[in-house]
Amino acid sequence: MSIVTVQLGQCGNQTGHEVFSALCSDIRGTHGLCSKKENESYHDSCKERFFCEEECGVPVARAVLVDMEPKVISQTLSMAARSGHWKYNSHSHFCQKQGSGNNWANGYSVHGPRHKEAIMNLVQKEAEKCDRLGGFFTIMSMAGGTGSGLGAFVTQCLRDAFPASFILNHVIWPYGTGEVIVQNYNSVLTLSHLYQSSDALLVHENDVIHKICAQLMNIKQISFRDVNQVIAHQLGSVFQPTHTAGEGSGYSRNPLGDLMETLVPHPEFKLLGLRNIPQMPENSLAYSTFSWPGLIKHLRQMLIANAKMEEGIDWQVRPPHPGSSIPSTNKPLHFNTSIANLVILRGKDVHGVDLGSFRDPSLYTSWLNPQDAFKAWRTPRAFNKYEKSASLVSNSQFLLKPLDSIVGKAWNMFASKAYLHQYTKFGIQEEDFLDCFTTLEQVISSYTNL
Amino acid sequence: MTQSVVVQVGQCGNQVGCRFWDLALREHAAVNKKGIYDEALSSFFRNVDTRSGSNGPDIYKGKICSLKARALLIDMEEGVVNEILQGPLRDVFDSKQLITDVSGSGNNWAVGHKIYGCQYRENIVEKLRKTAEHCDCLQCFFIIHSMGGGTGSGLGTFVLNLLEEEFPEVYRFVTSVYPSGEDDVITSPYNSVLAMKELNEHADCVLPIENESLFEIVNKIHQMINSGKLGSTVKQNSLVTSSAGSAKTLQEKPFDAMNNIVANLLLNLTSSARFEGSLNMDLNEISMNLVPFPRLHYLVSSLTPLYTLADVNVPSRRLDQMFSDAFSRDHQLIQADPKHSLYLACALLVRGNVQVSDLRRNIERLKPSLHFVSWNQEGWKTGLCSVPPVGHSHSLLALANNTCVKPTFIELKDRFMKLYKKKAHLHHYLQIDGMEQSCFSEAISSLSDLIEEYNELDATKGGPRIDPSRLKIAV
């Protein structure tokens, strides 16, 4: 099944480029560490999912690039073409001249309706190229104007035009100390709208990735490209083919569907966090060895203690005693309760790894059977030169604090009415803001009371 | 990509404008090696096929034929504009882009605004329309003028009004040179306050500039060069005051160095819209992020570095110093100290080989010493443009919406009141058709209201931070 990616705005397009780059370089690499047959199967599955073959033999990404100003798209298209290993379809992009001015209302209420037809035509064309459409993957930031506002509008259009397809929104959360002054407004508006039309929101926070770059990847002068490459690696570790139904079952044919089924049992809970270990500079890979038990132990503690990366994990945090039903207000502080988790293992000896510790009922709310609350996908095919790589996609309280912080700051600004005139002039009124705040306070409350 | 049009009005406006066009050409020449007319160039220049005469058609792609500035030059005296047309930039301007008269405005806002405004209205609208027609997607008008005289101040603000009426969707960024205390034009307070009312009501963003600050910066640079403190030689074309490498070959005039600073301000302001970068900052984003309430649109600007040494290796300490300097009193283009006043919002536009981690590190470092308004504690707007200015490896433009503009406005009000109380020179204004006492009282009232808004914000500074309570959800 194929996934059509929609890259929205500067962030969406810059990140999207790194994602396809990472996927392509992974399948081209001979570091599969598995049998030739396995490797070929992986290769074919990935190609079907993300690329289609064009006459000149270079795989063409199944993607639509959207931006309201031309510089980033033209850069993205040419960078991909220059790589010589893959490219974008030269027609699958839409841009305008003026940008959205970091104004969500401009992106949503003005650009959205104005360019709906043109953008959806491009999406339709890409969808038709797929033998079987597995769903849509959108990449956007929520701080600016196009990715956030136009992105929310396009998601709605996707939902209307493809009611039976899965839609996964990859949303990048901006640095806390600001990239855009009105980022909190734009974030509140984006998240509340996406919640209506999207199936799930897979989130990356710039602050977190920045720390990974600084502390784990040892990058001295971190650029946005570095940040995007880490994000691309993490996304690749989730979306590259895996066996979802046990050894010998063949690669999953419905990755988005499997993901949603596992992780989003209830429409009120759509926020997914992502962790991947190990992460290190490429030139250190040859000198490091990891054991699966070690990796699993770390990953589990990262889940429980809500650690953002494998350094600085708080090992004191423990799940509540099993068997006792503790009201959520009495649960140990800092303990991260999960609704559902998905662990993805790639590389050497995956099929023997014991994941029992993730099935511990005390990690979860009581709604689902622990067997249903946890799933594991595996493949012996190593990913991106890591001999062993483990990822965790989690529907848990991971994003509760960051979300609360964003809503708090936005509310603070809203109470003073600052910047509202910029939104009202494009049709987003105070009542619209209030609705969005209400939606998100509801989400916060729901996650808090897990 | 979008286009911008520069409207330069009056003596000051045209002299600064002239420096702007010169430095813009220099900047593009340094970046655009192949001589192809690209989108970056098209933001400020048309490419005209002049082989069949100066009325040739525009060429949108391909080799550069003849570049024409997207500009309107307006002056009610001929001297300055004539000089431009006889100078090395004569081919950059189309004779159809000029509006001149002979007698000047006599340092009288009313003459500029009411008399010439009325007289030249049609002409101005027609020329603006023509300029706009040459643009594929016109995003912004840049008005350059001074506040203290008659033409720049009076006719300049008349044009501002016109722009809002005729092109309501296009942004209006105004670069205004405010008179200093020792200004030799006696009526400059009247002219300035009358103009302020127009700026309050019709501009999207105003970048106030004070000659004193420009003068101090120029002096500082001279001192540094002459003191021999600098180990190596300074790259001549990197001086923010320099015309080196540009078309001007004549002796530099006294105001040239100061005007170059303002020209560089405009170049840096538009750099991220013209050139690529990892985090673009377009002009509409500047207005969106830095103007929390419609009338509070006065942005204090600072440019660093003022010069570059010839050394190639720039340690990151120098980079951090650049950020520190942007917040120091000496680098502001008006006499103000943003560090000790209240920030409503702050934008940092970095050019050159600077990455997001450098930005973050410096924001973290400087934040504790700055006061931000309670509802915008992390009020930073950042932009990264890959192309540095000529002669530099990196540069920083800081734009602050900060209550430190208040003293400038208060002083202006005081100087106005000194004259107004005695009705000094008032008759020169009131005898003009369309001018009444109410024009003055409304203008001073508008200024007072603005000052009061800043006062209210200042009152919140340092007070206890009480966050408004959040919405309660029924569980």
Side-chain angles (χ1 to χ4, degrees):
Chain A
M1 262 201 189
S2 309
I3 300 175
V4 171
T5 301
V6 185
Q7 310 180 173
L8 296 144
Q10 174 166 27
C11 172
N13 280 292
Q14 284 175 189
T15 306
H17 169 265
E18 296 306 329
V19 171
F20 283 105
S21 238
L23 294 173
C24 197
S25 118
D26 179 42
I27 57 176
R28 276 178 47 245
T30 49
H31 304 276
L33 293 185
C34 58
S35 71
K36 188 159 174 247
K37 181 158 168 268
E38 183 83 55
N39 199 19
E40 272 170 20
S41 191
Y42 183 85
H43 187 112
D44 292 338
S45 187
C46 171
K47 287 281 274 301
E48 194 203 344
R49 230 174 247 198
F50 296 108
F51 298 92
C52 59
E53 207 68 51
E54 194 102 315
E55 314 87 51
C56 33
V58 179
V60 176
R62 298 188 191 276
V64 178
L65 290 72
V66 180
D67 202 355
M68 291 295 102
E69 66 103 359
K71 295 195 294 287
V72 180
I73 287 190
S74 85
Q75 237 190 325
T76 308
L77 289 174
S78 70
M79 270 174 76
R82 271 205 305 269
S83 74
H85 301 301
W86 68 280
K87 60 184 191 143
Y88 288 104
N89 181 320
S90 47
H91 301 292
S92 289
H93 63 95
F94 179 81
C95 66
Q96 288 295 282
K97 305 198 196 341
Q98 253 208 69
S100 301
N102 287 166
N103 191 322
W104 192 94
N106 196 6
Y108 185 84
S109 308
V110 177
H111 290 304
R114 200 179 280 173
H115 307 300
K116 174 178 172 176
E117 214 183 303
I119 296 174
M120 290 310 286
N121 272 342
L122 291 176
V123 173
Q124 188 70 41
K125 281 211 183 76
E126 278 300 325
E128 278 161 18
K129 282 192 218 161
C130 305
D131 278 341
R132 285 171 68 204
L133 179 63
F136 298 95
F137 181 59
T138 74
I139 311 181
M140 61 219 269
S141 81
M142 60 183 197
T146 299
S148 70
L150 181 61
F153 186 84
V154 167
T155 305
Q156 226 168 273
C157 295
L158 288 174
R159 174 53 70 217
D160 292 336
F162 300 90
S165 292
F166 293 105
I167 302 175
L168 176 64
N169 290 83
H170 176 239
V171 189
I172 298 191
W173 292 22
Y175 287 97
T177 45
E179 296 168 23
V180 168
I181 293 176
V182 290
Q183 63 187 40
N184 297 314
Y185 278 168
N186 292 337
S187 302
V188 165
L189 291 161
T190 305
L191 292 172
S192 55
H193 276 78
L194 286 181
Y195 235 76
Q196 321 294 340
S197 10
S198 172
D199 288 309
L201 279 63
L202 183 59
V203 175
H204 269 114
E205 299 165 77
N206 271 349
D207 280 305
V208 172
I209 306 295
H210 192 102
K211 277 220 186 77
I212 292 178
C213 286
Q215 292 176 236
L216 299 180
M217 310 296 276
N218 282 330
I219 303 173
K220 289 279 174 296
Q221 201 189 20
I222 300 167
S223 65
F224 270 113
R225 187 134 193 237
D226 297 318
V227 172
N228 292 343
Q229 282 174 341
V230 171
I231 292 176
H233 169 87
Q234 295 203 347
L235 289 175
S237 77
V238 173
F239 291 110
Q240 286 291 49
T242 51
H243 303 288
T244 45
E247 199 170 356
S249 63
Y251 283 112
S252 161
R253 305 229 56 205
N254 189 8
L256 287 183
D258 292 337
L259 192 88
M260 304 302 178
E261 195 190 3
T262 306
L263 292 173
V264 191
H266 188 293
E268 184 65 12
F269 299 89
K270 290 182 178 169
L271 293 173
L272 307 178
L274 175 49
R275 300 283 183 270
N276 170 267
I277 59 172
Q279 293 247 228
M280 54 178 26
E282 199 177 304
N283 45 22
S284 308
L285 280 174
Y287 307 103
S288 323
T289 41
F290 294 93
S291 70
W292 280 121
L295 287 174
I296 300 302
K297 193 164 163 213
H298 274 76
L299 198 58
R300 181 177 183 269
Q301 193 61 24
M302 280 166 74
L303 169 65
I304 296 175
N306 198 354
K308 310 287 188 182
M309 56 181 186
E310 63 254 48
E311 259 177 40
I313 302 177
D314 184 353
W315 291 94
Q316 301 299 323
V317 180
R318 295 252 184 278
H321 291 297
S324 54
S325 60
I326 306 179
S328 56
T329 42
N330 289 351
K331 275 202 180 135
L333 280 172
H334 313 304
F335 172 71
N336 183 45
T337 309
S338 303
I339 295 169
N341 287 311
L342 167 65
V343 165
I344 303 166
L345 303 176
R346 300 176 182 274
K348 208 162 154 210
D349 307 325
V350 272
H351 290 296
V353 181
D354 176 15
L355 289 167
S357 58
F358 273 96
R359 287 185 228 277
D360 180 353
S362 63
L363 266 52
Y364 299 93
T365 61
S366 52
W367 320 331
L368 298 172
N369 263 321
Q371 291 99 288
D372 299 325
F374 176 75
K375 287 276 185 300
W377 298 351
R378 309 170 199 242
T379 171
R381 207 281 187 179
F383 171 65
N384 202 11
K385 304 180 190 144
Y386 282 80
E387 185 198 57
K388 300 186 179 86
S389 171
S391 293
L392 166 69
V393 185
S394 175
N395 190 345
S396 64
Q397 294 172 318
F398 264 169
L399 293 158
L400 180 51
K401 263 180 81 187
L403 177 62
D404 190 60
S405 165
I406 288 172
V407 173
K409 289 186 214 168
W411 184 249
N412 204 3
M413 194 180 266
F414 183 69
S416 72
K417 303 211 185 306
Y419 298 101
L420 289 181
H421 70 284
Q422 307 271 16
Y423 291 87
T424 52
K425 81 176 176 210
F426 290 115
I428 299 292
Q429 309 297 334
E430 278 186 43
E431 302 87 64
D432 301 310
F433 271 93
L434 280 172
D435 286 341
C436 294
F437 277 111
T438 310
T439 304
L440 292 183
E441 292 286 5
Q442 184 69 61
V443 173
I444 291 172
S445 170
S446 304
Y447 272 100
T448 309
N449 292 322
L450 281 184
Chain B
M1 201 173 294
T2 56
Q3 290 80 42
S4 298
V5 171
V6 175
V7 182
Q8 31 193 93
V9 191
Q11 174 176 17
C12 170
N14 278 289
Q15 283 176 336
V16 173
C18 179
R19 299 313 314 131
F20 169 76
W21 290 110
D22 201 3
L23 292 182
L25 283 170
R26 182 180 77 161
E27 182 170 91
H28 280 284
V31 174
N32 188 337
K33 300 290 185 198
K34 295 188 191 151
I36 305 277
Y37 180 68
D38 60 9
E39 299 228 316
L41 261 176
S42 86
S43 60
F44 280 111
F45 294 95
R46 288 165 51 207
N47 188 21
V48 180
D49 187 349
T50 45
R51 287 169 297 182
S52 45
S54 62
N55 275 336
D58 276 19
I59 308 171
Y60 292 98
K61 280 194 173 144
K63 282 204 100 58
I64 295 174
C65 190
S66 174
L67 290 176
K68 296 280 180 211
R70 299 189 194 276
L72 220 61
L73 285 68
I74 304 178
D75 201 357
M76 295 296 103
E77 275 175 333
E78 293 181 312
V80 178
V81 174
N82 278 345
E83 214 188 296
I84 296 176
L85 293 179
Q86 281 153 22
L89 289 179
R90 59 181 165 276
D91 291 325
V92 172
F93 299 107
D94 196 327
S95 60
K96 294 192 249 60
Q97 296 162 258
L98 316 171
I99 299 177
T100 54
D101 203 305
V102 287
S103 14
S105 305
N107 285 327
N108 187 326
W109 184 92
V111 172
H113 197 95
K114 303 282 183 189
I115 297 186
Y116 286 122
C118 197
Q119 188 177 338
Y120 283 99
R121 189 183 210 284
E122 302 259 328
N123 194 347
I124 295 173
V125 173
E126 196 202 309
K127 297 207 153 102
L128 284 171
R129 289 227 162 278
K130 213 82 244 264
T131 325
E133 270 161 36
H134 286 298
C135 296
D136 200 10
C137 181
L138 176 59
Q139 185 181 49
C140 186
F141 284 108
F142 284 99
I143 299 176
I144 314 178
H145 71 146
S146 72
M147 300 283 279
T151 303
S153 176
L155 187 55
T157 49
F158 179 83
V159 173
L160 178 61
N161 257 294
L162 255 191
L163 290 175
E164 187 174 20
E165 267 179 51
E166 301 287 323
F167 304 90
E169 311 278 302
V170 181
Y171 287 93
R172 295 171 293 283
F173 274 60
V174 188
T175 305
S176 306
V177 181
Y178 280 68
S180 62
E182 304 91 41
D183 196 84
D184 51 6
V185 175
I186 300 178
T187 50
S188 66
Y190 283 162
N191 296 330
S192 304
V193 172
L194 289 164
M196 274 291 287
K197 173 166 179 289
E198 306 299 317
L199 293 182
N200 280 342
E201 292 172 17
H202 306 292
D204 286 312
C205 271
V206 178
L207 300 159
I209 314 272
E210 284 183 283
N211 273 342
E212 281 159 272
S213 301
L214 297 179
F215 191 65
E216 279 168 18
I217 290 175
V218 170
N219 274 346
K220 193 169 151 176
I221 294 176
H222 278 158
Q223 272 172 20
M224 284 307 279
I225 296 178
N226 295 332
S227 73
K229 268 193 194 156
L230 303 175
S232 348
T233 46
V234 173
K235 274 195 203 171
Q236 275 305 303
N237 60 357
S238 73
L239 294 173
V240 77
T241 52
S242 149
S243 311
S246 61
K248 249 177 115 59
T249 44
L250 301 171
Q251 184 76 4
E252 279 191 22
K253 296 271 190 51
F255 278 102
D256 271 357
M258 289 161 62
N259 291 340
N260 279 334
I261 299 175
V262 185
N264 275 310
L265 165 65
L266 288 173
L267 280 178
N268 284 339
L269 188 65
T270 55
S271 61
S272 187
R274 291 177 290 138
F275 302 116
E276 56 180 38
S278 62
L279 188 58
N280 295 337
M281 181 150 98
D282 208 338
L283 293 166
N284 49 9
E285 293 174 27
I286 293 176
S287 167
M288 172 71 179
N289 285 285
L290 292 173
V291 184
F293 299 100
R295 277 158 54 93
L296 300 179
H297 55 245
Y298 293 86
L299 306 177
V300 180
S301 49
S302 69
L303 284 173
T304 57
L306 301 175
Y307 52 79
T308 304
L309 301 180
D311 309 62
V312 175
N313 287 325
V314 181
S316 73
R317 196 165 42 89
R318 290 285 297 308
L319 193 65
D320 288 9
Q321 184 60 42
M322 180 176 79
F323 280 91
S324 302
D325 284 341
F327 291 91
S328 84
R329 212 176 193 291
D330 317 344
H331 283 78
Q332 309 302 316
L333 299 190
I334 64 167
Q335 299 280 291
D337 190 6
K339 254 185 146 156
H340 294 102
S341 304
L342 189 64
Y343 275 91
L344 303 181
C346 185
L348 297 175
L349 214 184
V350 192
R351 297 180 68 173
N353 184 19
V354 183
Q355 302 302 341
V356 65
S357 55
D358 301 310
L359 251 184
R360 303 237 59 78
R361 180 178 71 246
N362 281 289
I363 291 179
E364 292 304 313
R365 189 172 61 85
L366 292 164
K367 221 174 73 139
S369 58
L370 303 171
H371 308 280
F372 273 81
V373 73
S374 65
W375 41 261
N376 205 2
Q377 289 280 300
E378 286 96 9
W380 297 90
K381 165 69 181 157
T382 55
L384 293 167
C385 173
S386 327
V387 177
V390 176
H392 293 273
S393 58
H394 49 256
S395 78
L396 170 63
L397 165 67
L399 292 171
N401 192 339
N402 187 305
T403 56
C404 67
V405 283
K406 203 177 61 173
T408 304
F409 297 153
I410 292 179
E411 262 185 57
L412 198 58
K413 182 179 171 186
D414 288 344
R415 278 185 250 140
F416 176 96
M417 292 311 291
K418 264 207 186 100
L419 291 175
Y420 192 58
K421 277 201 189 113
K422 294 187 249 159
K423 300 200 192 307
H425 304 282
L426 218 47
H427 57 285
H428 291 303
Y429 293 79
L430 295 176
Q431 72 194 17
I432 308 286
D433 209 9
M435 284 300 286
E436 285 158 20
Q437 193 88 8
S438 58
C439 295
F440 281 83
S441 50
E442 277 169 24
I444 198 65
S445 173
S446 174
L447 182 57
S448 300
D449 286 344
L450 184 67
I451 293 173
E452 193 43 43
E453 279 188 62
Y454 281 110
N455 274 335
E456 277 170 30
L457 285 164
D458 267 336
T460 66
K461 181 172 167 236
R465 164 111 178 258
I466 311 165
D467 287 339
S469 35
R470 299 265 291 270
L471 286 178
K472 297 263 182 294
I473 303 291
V475 174

